[in-house]
Short mmCIF file of all heavy atoms in Angstrom, two decimals:
data_model
loop_
_atom_site.label_atom_id
_atom_site.label_comp_id
_atom_site.label_asym_id
_atom_site.label_seq_id
_atom_site.Cartn_x
_atom_site.Cartn_y
_atom_site.Cartn_z
N LEU U 24 -12.86 13.25 14.52
CA LEU U 24 -11.84 13.58 15.52
C LEU U 24 -12.18 14.94 16.12
O LEU U 24 -11.49 15.93 15.91
CB LEU U 24 -10.45 13.60 14.88
CG LEU U 24 -9.99 12.30 14.22
CD1 LEU U 24 -8.72 12.52 13.42
CD2 LEU U 24 -9.80 11.20 15.27
N TRP U 27 -9.61 17.30 17.91
CA TRP U 27 -8.41 17.65 17.16
C TRP U 27 -8.67 18.86 16.28
O TRP U 27 -9.80 19.08 15.83
CB TRP U 27 -7.97 16.47 16.29
CG TRP U 27 -7.52 15.29 17.09
CD1 TRP U 27 -8.32 14.34 17.67
CD2 TRP U 27 -6.19 14.96 17.45
NE1 TRP U 27 -7.55 13.43 18.35
CE2 TRP U 27 -6.22 13.78 18.24
CE3 TRP U 27 -4.94 15.53 17.18
CZ2 TRP U 27 -5.09 13.17 18.74
CZ3 TRP U 27 -3.80 14.92 17.68
CH2 TRP U 27 -3.88 13.76 18.46
N ARG U 38 -3.78 18.27 19.42
CA ARG U 38 -4.71 18.13 20.54
C ARG U 38 -3.92 18.26 21.84
O ARG U 38 -2.77 17.82 21.93
CB ARG U 38 -5.41 16.77 20.51
CG ARG U 38 -6.40 16.62 21.65
CD ARG U 38 -7.24 15.39 21.58
NE ARG U 38 -8.15 15.42 22.73
CZ ARG U 38 -8.89 14.43 23.13
NH1 ARG U 38 -8.87 13.28 22.48
NH2 ARG U 38 -9.68 14.55 24.18
N LEU U 40 -4.15 17.26 25.90
CA LEU U 40 -4.83 16.39 26.86
C LEU U 40 -4.34 16.72 28.26
O LEU U 40 -3.16 16.99 28.46
CB LEU U 40 -4.54 14.92 26.54
CG LEU U 40 -4.91 14.53 25.10
CD1 LEU U 40 -3.65 14.26 24.31
CD2 LEU U 40 -5.78 13.32 25.09
N GLY U 50 2.16 7.63 31.88
CA GLY U 50 1.62 6.31 31.54
C GLY U 50 0.91 6.33 30.20
O GLY U 50 1.07 5.42 29.38
N PHE U 51 0.13 7.38 29.96
CA PHE U 51 -0.55 7.56 28.68
C PHE U 51 0.47 7.64 27.55
O PHE U 51 0.34 6.97 26.51
CB PHE U 51 -1.41 8.83 28.73
CG PHE U 51 -1.87 9.29 27.39
CD1 PHE U 51 -2.99 8.75 26.79
CD2 PHE U 51 -1.18 10.28 26.70
CE1 PHE U 51 -3.42 9.18 25.54
CE2 PHE U 51 -1.60 10.72 25.46
CZ PHE U 51 -2.72 10.16 24.88
N MET U 52 1.51 8.45 27.74
CA MET U 52 2.53 8.61 26.71
C MET U 52 3.22 7.28 26.41
O MET U 52 3.54 6.98 25.25
CB MET U 52 3.55 9.67 27.13
CG MET U 52 2.96 11.07 27.15
SD MET U 52 4.11 12.31 27.79
CE MET U 52 5.32 12.34 26.48
N THR U 53 3.42 6.47 27.43
CA THR U 53 4.05 5.17 27.24
C THR U 53 3.18 4.27 26.37
O THR U 53 3.67 3.61 25.45
CB THR U 53 4.33 4.50 28.60
OG1 THR U 53 5.20 5.36 29.35
CG2 THR U 53 4.96 3.13 28.43
N ARG U 54 1.88 4.26 26.64
CA ARG U 54 0.96 3.45 25.82
C ARG U 54 0.97 3.91 24.38
O ARG U 54 0.99 3.09 23.45
CB ARG U 54 -0.45 3.49 26.39
CG ARG U 54 -0.58 2.72 27.69
CD ARG U 54 -1.99 2.67 28.20
NE ARG U 54 -2.83 1.86 27.30
CZ ARG U 54 -4.15 1.80 27.37
NH1 ARG U 54 -4.80 2.49 28.31
NH2 ARG U 54 -4.85 1.06 26.54
N VAL U 55 0.94 5.22 24.16
CA VAL U 55 0.97 5.76 22.80
C VAL U 55 2.29 5.40 22.12
O VAL U 55 2.32 5.02 20.95
CB VAL U 55 0.73 7.28 22.79
CG1 VAL U 55 0.94 7.85 21.39
CG2 VAL U 55 -0.67 7.60 23.29
N ALA U 56 3.39 5.51 22.86
CA ALA U 56 4.71 5.22 22.29
C ALA U 56 4.80 3.77 21.82
O ALA U 56 5.34 3.49 20.74
CB ALA U 56 5.79 5.52 23.32
N LEU U 57 4.27 2.83 22.61
CA LEU U 57 4.30 1.42 22.21
C LEU U 57 3.49 1.18 20.94
O LEU U 57 3.93 0.48 20.03
CB LEU U 57 3.79 0.55 23.36
CG LEU U 57 4.71 0.49 24.58
CD1 LEU U 57 4.00 -0.21 25.74
CD2 LEU U 57 6.03 -0.19 24.25
N TYR U 58 2.29 1.78 20.88
CA TYR U 58 1.45 1.65 19.68
C TYR U 58 2.14 2.30 18.47
O TYR U 58 2.19 1.72 17.38
CB TYR U 58 0.09 2.31 19.94
CG TYR U 58 -0.81 2.33 18.73
CD1 TYR U 58 -1.72 1.30 18.50
CD2 TYR U 58 -0.78 3.39 17.82
CE1 TYR U 58 -2.55 1.32 17.40
CE2 TYR U 58 -1.61 3.41 16.71
CZ TYR U 58 -2.50 2.38 16.50
OH TYR U 58 -3.31 2.40 15.40
N ALA U 59 2.66 3.51 18.68
CA ALA U 59 3.28 4.26 17.58
C ALA U 59 4.49 3.52 17.03
O ALA U 59 4.70 3.49 15.81
CB ALA U 59 3.67 5.65 18.06
N ASP U 60 5.27 2.93 17.90
CA ASP U 60 6.45 2.22 17.44
C ASP U 60 6.07 1.03 16.57
O ASP U 60 6.67 0.80 15.52
CB ASP U 60 7.29 1.77 18.64
CG ASP U 60 8.70 1.43 18.23
OD1 ASP U 60 9.33 2.23 17.51
OD2 ASP U 60 9.18 0.35 18.62
N ALA U 62 3.38 0.81 14.81
CA ALA U 62 2.80 1.35 13.59
C ALA U 62 3.83 2.10 12.75
O ALA U 62 3.52 2.57 11.65
CB ALA U 62 1.64 2.28 13.93
N TRP U 68 5.38 15.53 20.41
CA TRP U 68 4.64 15.88 21.62
C TRP U 68 5.48 16.65 22.60
O TRP U 68 6.70 16.69 22.53
CB TRP U 68 3.99 14.69 22.27
CG TRP U 68 4.83 13.48 22.54
CD1 TRP U 68 6.19 13.39 22.62
CD2 TRP U 68 4.34 12.16 22.78
NE1 TRP U 68 6.57 12.11 22.89
CE2 TRP U 68 5.46 11.33 23.00
CE3 TRP U 68 3.07 11.62 22.84
CZ2 TRP U 68 5.33 9.98 23.27
CZ3 TRP U 68 2.95 10.27 23.11
CH2 TRP U 68 4.06 9.47 23.32
N ILE U 77 -0.02 17.15 21.63
CA ILE U 77 0.35 16.21 20.57
C ILE U 77 0.09 16.85 19.21
O ILE U 77 -0.97 17.41 18.97
CB ILE U 77 -0.45 14.91 20.68
CG1 ILE U 77 -0.25 14.27 22.05
CG2 ILE U 77 -0.08 13.94 19.56
CD1 ILE U 77 -1.14 13.08 22.32
N LEU U 79 0.31 15.66 15.08
CA LEU U 79 0.47 14.53 14.17
C LEU U 79 0.57 15.01 12.74
O LEU U 79 -0.24 15.83 12.28
CB LEU U 79 -0.72 13.57 14.29
CG LEU U 79 -0.97 12.95 15.67
CD1 LEU U 79 -2.23 12.09 15.62
CD2 LEU U 79 0.22 12.15 16.13
N ARG U 90 -2.30 7.38 8.47
CA ARG U 90 -1.55 7.05 9.68
C ARG U 90 -1.86 8.02 10.81
O ARG U 90 -1.97 7.62 11.97
CB ARG U 90 -0.05 7.06 9.41
CG ARG U 90 0.46 5.88 8.66
CD ARG U 90 1.96 5.97 8.54
NE ARG U 90 2.50 4.80 7.88
CZ ARG U 90 3.77 4.66 7.58
NH1 ARG U 90 4.63 5.63 7.87
NH2 ARG U 90 4.19 3.58 6.97
N ASP U 91 -1.98 9.30 10.48
CA ASP U 91 -2.29 10.30 11.49
C ASP U 91 -3.69 10.10 12.04
O ASP U 91 -3.92 10.20 13.24
CB ASP U 91 -2.14 11.71 10.90
CG ASP U 91 -0.75 11.93 10.35
OD1 ASP U 91 0.21 11.83 11.13
OD2 ASP U 91 -0.64 12.18 9.14
N VAL U 92 -4.62 9.83 11.16
CA VAL U 92 -6.02 9.60 11.57
C VAL U 92 -6.09 8.38 12.49
O VAL U 92 -6.73 8.42 13.55
CB VAL U 92 -6.94 9.44 10.35
CG1 VAL U 92 -8.35 9.05 10.76
CG2 VAL U 92 -6.95 10.72 9.51
N ASN U 93 -5.42 7.30 12.12
CA ASN U 93 -5.45 6.09 12.93
C ASN U 93 -4.80 6.32 14.30
O ASN U 93 -5.33 5.86 15.32
CB ASN U 93 -4.76 4.94 12.21
CG ASN U 93 -5.53 4.46 11.00
OD1 ASN U 93 -6.73 4.71 10.88
ND2 ASN U 93 -4.85 3.78 10.10
N LEU U 94 -3.67 7.02 14.33
CA LEU U 94 -3.02 7.28 15.61
C LEU U 94 -3.88 8.21 16.47
O LEU U 94 -4.01 8.00 17.67
CB LEU U 94 -1.63 7.88 15.39
CG LEU U 94 -0.79 8.11 16.65
CD1 LEU U 94 -0.68 6.86 17.52
CD2 LEU U 94 0.60 8.62 16.26
N ALA U 95 -4.51 9.21 15.86
CA ALA U 95 -5.40 10.10 16.61
C ALA U 95 -6.58 9.33 17.21
O ALA U 95 -6.96 9.56 18.36
CB ALA U 95 -5.90 11.23 15.71
N LYS U 96 -7.15 8.41 16.46
CA LYS U 96 -8.26 7.59 16.97
C LYS U 96 -7.80 6.73 18.14
O LYS U 96 -8.52 6.60 19.13
CB LYS U 96 -8.84 6.72 15.86
CG LYS U 96 -9.67 7.50 14.86
CD LYS U 96 -10.20 6.60 13.75
CE LYS U 96 -11.01 7.40 12.76
NZ LYS U 96 -11.50 6.55 11.65
N PHE U 97 -6.60 6.15 18.04
CA PHE U 97 -6.07 5.36 19.15
C PHE U 97 -5.87 6.25 20.37
O PHE U 97 -6.25 5.87 21.49
CB PHE U 97 -4.74 4.71 18.74
CG PHE U 97 -4.09 3.98 19.88
CD1 PHE U 97 -4.53 2.72 20.26
CD2 PHE U 97 -3.04 4.55 20.59
CE1 PHE U 97 -3.94 2.04 21.32
CE2 PHE U 97 -2.44 3.89 21.65
CZ PHE U 97 -2.90 2.63 22.01
N ILE U 98 -5.30 7.42 20.19
CA ILE U 98 -5.09 8.36 21.29
C ILE U 98 -6.42 8.72 21.95
O ILE U 98 -6.53 8.71 23.17
CB ILE U 98 -4.34 9.61 20.78
CG1 ILE U 98 -2.88 9.25 20.48
CG2 ILE U 98 -4.44 10.76 21.77
CD1 ILE U 98 -2.12 10.29 19.69
N ASP U 99 -7.42 9.03 21.15
CA ASP U 99 -8.74 9.37 21.70
C ASP U 99 -9.32 8.21 22.51
O ASP U 99 -9.89 8.43 23.57
CB ASP U 99 -9.71 9.73 20.58
CG ASP U 99 -9.43 11.09 19.96
OD1 ASP U 99 -8.61 11.86 20.51
OD2 ASP U 99 -10.03 11.39 18.89
N GLU U 100 -9.17 7.01 22.00
CA GLU U 100 -9.73 5.83 22.66
C GLU U 100 -9.07 5.59 24.02
O GLU U 100 -9.76 5.38 25.02
CB GLU U 100 -9.59 4.59 21.79
CG GLU U 100 -10.27 3.37 22.32
CD GLU U 100 -11.78 3.53 22.51
OE1 GLU U 100 -12.42 4.19 21.69
OE2 GLU U 100 -12.30 2.99 23.50
N ILE U 101 -7.76 5.64 24.09
CA ILE U 101 -7.13 5.36 25.38
C ILE U 101 -7.26 6.54 26.33
O ILE U 101 -7.22 6.35 27.54
CB ILE U 101 -5.67 4.87 25.25
CG1 ILE U 101 -4.75 5.95 24.71
CG2 ILE U 101 -5.59 3.60 24.44
CD1 ILE U 101 -3.28 5.59 24.87
N TYR U 102 -7.44 7.74 25.81
CA TYR U 102 -7.64 8.89 26.71
C TYR U 102 -8.98 8.78 27.43
O TYR U 102 -9.11 9.18 28.59
CB TYR U 102 -7.56 10.20 25.92
CG TYR U 102 -7.68 11.43 26.79
CD1 TYR U 102 -6.71 11.73 27.73
CD2 TYR U 102 -8.77 12.29 26.67
CE1 TYR U 102 -6.80 12.86 28.54
CE2 TYR U 102 -8.87 13.41 27.47
CZ TYR U 102 -7.89 13.70 28.39
OH TYR U 102 -8.00 14.82 29.19
N LYS U 103 -9.98 8.20 26.77
CA LYS U 103 -11.29 7.99 27.41
C LYS U 103 -11.19 7.07 28.61
O LYS U 103 -11.95 7.19 29.55
CB LYS U 103 -12.28 7.36 26.40
CG LYS U 103 -12.74 8.27 25.33
CD LYS U 103 -13.68 7.50 24.39
CE LYS U 103 -13.93 8.22 23.12
NZ LYS U 103 -14.75 7.42 22.20
N GLN U 104 -10.24 6.12 28.55
CA GLN U 104 -10.09 5.14 29.63
C GLN U 104 -9.47 5.84 30.77
O GLN U 104 -9.28 5.80 31.79
CB GLN U 104 -9.22 3.97 29.19
CG GLN U 104 -9.81 3.25 28.00
CD GLN U 104 -8.84 2.24 27.39
OE1 GLN U 104 -7.76 2.01 27.88
NE2 GLN U 104 -9.23 1.63 26.29
#
Side-chain angles (χ1 to χ4, degrees):
L24 301 170
W27 294 82
R38 181 173 181 191
L40 304 111
F51 166 83
M52 291 175 69
T53 300
R54 289 185 68 190
V55 173
L57 291 170
Y58 175 92
D60 198 49
W68 51 19
I77 303 172
L79 301 177
R90 284 184 177 175
D91 303 300
V92 174
N93 291 341
L94 185 52
K96 286 178 180 178
F97 175 79
I98 288 167
D99 287 349
E100 186 60 37
I101 66 167
Y102 183 66
K103 288 179 194 175
Q104 301 170 4

